[in-house]
Amino acid sequence: MIEDKNQQRTSLENLGEFGLIEHLTKNFDIKHKSTIKSIGDDAAVLEFKTNQIVVTTDLLIENVHFDLSYVPLKHLGYKAVVVNLSDVYAMNANATQITVSIAVSNRFPLEALEDLYAGIEAAAKIYNIDVIGGDTTSSTTGLIISVTAIGAVDEKNVVLRSGAKANDLVVVTGDIGASYMGLQVLEREKEVFKVNPQNQPDLSMYSYIIERQLKPEARKDVIELLKSLDVKPTSMIDISDGLSSEIIHLCKNSDVGVELYENKIPLDPQVISTCEEFNIDSTTIALNGGEDYELLMTISQEDFPKIKGNPNLTVIGYITEKSRGMHLITRGEQAIPIIAKGWNAMKNEV
Ligand code: ADP
Ligand code: MG
């Protein structure tokens, strides 16, 4: 795995903080007119013509949020950006700028940070984002990375968690549960690797779920799709912690109930087969898995014809009056209350 890749190791101490920042950020170009002044002054300067700006931050800590024994640094950089952009898109906003702050110990050579920044740069390019600043400091232990994302949206287009109404349809993008199952495979391979470092596992049958874990994408395309379909969701949230906790957030913020249908939840065939292999219930994983970075939204019934048949958007249930509670209707037509950690205490099962 990655620690074996013994390339050149340039000590960070030789560069100094300023040299390091300059080196890591030299490739960042400016793509947005709203970026007036980027890296290089005491603060960046932005100017927006739209009247609402969204701001969101995530903090990722080594061995809490990521494990460098199987996460390549380039992927980590990419993912650190993507998880923030996902929050911006979940507001129905367009992401425009990010700042990136890192704390590193001197166990990391310059080459490691170059990999991290290659991932950040790749994400900035693909999602059309300006990297406008950050902070660099030392850490006594692991790597810490914090990204702040900024986006712009017209006031009339902002979508909050609080707008769902009874009879609205619940829609999820893409498929869910894959990222969690990818993590299970990586964790298993890490244990195998500890015992037998020569073992080169064939992970091709898990390629999709591993990619979903290591290199998730934010659904910028869905925000553009909704615009082109002329659909404004009544509420929206991104799926970082799993379907059940996200639908609970939407319902609580909107003061409504929900009925979701087990047989409507979109699952990739690799999730189904890997769940069988691990002897885990795939619905439990879809409800509780997390890190899929898909969007969960509600739309009014009259918008249904506009989204009908679109392969990116699946209707999985509908919003009810609050008094009816929050339930999953199983394949056996049982109504099971949706709770934050799922109806099947996943943590004990896997
Ligand atoms: P200050 O001491 O005023 O905080 P710094 O020397 O930390 O300034 O930063 C100099 C410039 O480099 C600033 O524009 C800052 O936003 C940017 N910067 C610092 N660290 C990073 C980083 N890790 N990634 C991107 N930009 C950074
Ligand atoms: Mg600073």
Side-chain angles (χ1 to χ4, degrees):
M1 293 197 179
I2 47 170
E3 278 169 330
D4 287 337
K5 260 201 304 180
N6 212 347
Q7 316 147 324
Q8 210 188 332
R9 292 176 69 89
T10 310
S11 163
L12 292 180
E13 278 149 23
N14 301 338
L15 273 149
E17 188 191 324
F18 186 68
L20 175 64
I21 295 170
E22 200 171 56
H23 182 80
L24 293 176
T25 61
K26 63 178 187 290
N27 292 333
F28 293 139
D29 54 342
I30 301 304
K31 308 171 186 80
H32 290 275
K33 270 196 256 161
S34 53
T35 307
I36 307 294
K37 174 70 196 171
S38 182
I39 293 169
D41 214 307
D42 295 313
V45 181
L46 307 179
E47 181 176 38
F48 290 96
K49 307 292 178 209
T50 41
N51 48 11
Q52 296 207 335
I53 305 303
V54 299
V55 180
T56 176
T57 297
D58 271 301
L59 179 62
L60 300 176
I61 294 177
E62 185 177 353
N63 297 329
V64 178
H65 302 103
F66 57 89
D67 182 337
L68 288 177
S69 59
Y70 54 74
V71 178
L73 280 157
K74 186 170 176 184
H75 287 70
L76 178 65
Y78 192 88
K79 185 169 176 173
V81 175
V82 161
V83 301
N84 275 274
L85 301 184
S86 179
D87 282 321
V88 173
Y89 300 135
M91 305 302 290
N92 204 31
N94 180 36
T96 45
Q97 286 91 7
I98 58 170
T99 63
V100 179
S101 298
I102 54 173
V104 275
S105 67
N106 48 20
R107 107 177 129 90
F108 291 91
L110 174 65
E111 288 73 17
L113 296 185
E114 285 174 344
D115 284 348
L116 183 75
Y117 268 73
I120 292 168
E121 197 182 329
K125 197 169 208 159
I126 287 171
Y127 289 92
N128 195 33
I129 304 293
D130 293 343
V131 182
I132 56 159
D135 202 14
T136 308
T137 185
S138 55
S139 146
T140 48
T141 52
L143 175 65
I144 298 172
I145 172 164
S146 176
V147 175
T148 295
I150 296 164
V153 57
D154 282 339
E155 186 180 355
K156 63 181 189 323
N157 292 331
V158 180
V159 177
L160 305 177
R161 296 178 176 185
S162 52
K165 297 273 179 295
N167 299 320
D168 284 354
L169 299 174
V170 179
V171 174
V172 68
T173 63
D175 56 75
I176 54 178
S179 181
Y180 183 84
M181 288 317 293
L183 182 62
Q184 298 314 300
V185 170
L186 290 169
E187 295 271 5
R188 182 179 69 184
E189 294 312 320
K190 181 184 169 185
E191 294 308 312
V192 173
F193 182 82
K194 274 188 200 158
V195 179
N196 180 6
Q198 302 317 323
N199 183 42
Q200 282 294 334
D202 176 12
L203 298 179
S204 57
M205 65 183 289
Y206 308 111
S207 57
Y208 176 69
I209 60 174
I210 289 175
E211 178 152 342
R212 292 281 282 175
Q213 168 60 218
L214 291 182
K215 191 171 170 290
E217 301 291 353
R219 298 309 305 259
K220 178 184 185 173
D221 61 323
V222 168
I223 299 313
E224 288 160 1
L225 173 69
L226 291 171
K227 201 158 277 165
S228 73
L229 295 173
D230 192 29
V231 173
K232 184 191 170 193
T234 52
S235 70
M236 188 150 60
I237 188 168
D238 74 323
I239 305 183
S240 49
D241 294 337
L243 181 59
S244 46
S245 77
E246 312 304 0
I247 194 70
I248 291 170
H249 284 313
L250 278 193
C251 288
K252 291 211 162 137
N253 279 280
S254 297
D255 227 16
V256 293
V258 70
E259 258 180 33
L260 298 183
Y261 291 85
E262 184 182 19
N263 65 353
K264 302 286 187 203
I265 296 174
L267 301 174
D268 186 85
Q270 262 184 30
V271 171
I272 296 169
S273 59
T274 313
C275 281
E276 278 170 11
E277 187 189 333
F278 279 73
N279 201 15
I280 313 174
D281 177 50
S282 57
T283 303
T284 307
I285 295 312
L287 287 173
N288 303 306
E291 292 204 297
D292 290 310
Y293 301 104
E294 295 293 343
L295 294 170
L296 176 68
M297 67 190 91
T298 55
I299 65 164
S300 97
Q301 295 239 5
E302 65 194 46
D303 282 335
F304 178 63
K306 300 180 192 166
I307 67 143
K308 194 179 165 195
N310 192 298
N312 290 294
L313 305 170
T314 308
V315 177
I316 58 168
Y318 67 97
I319 296 295
T320 64
E321 299 296 341
K322 187 183 184 184
S323 58
R324 287 186 49 198
M326 298 178 280
H327 292 97
L328 178 78
I329 311 300
T330 66
R331 288 193 183 83
E333 292 181 9
Q334 259 185 300
I336 294 174
I338 297 170
I339 56 171
K341 272 294 161 204
W343 44 279
N344 208 343
M346 178 185 65
K347 282 278 180 305
N348 300 331
E349 209 178 76
V350 277

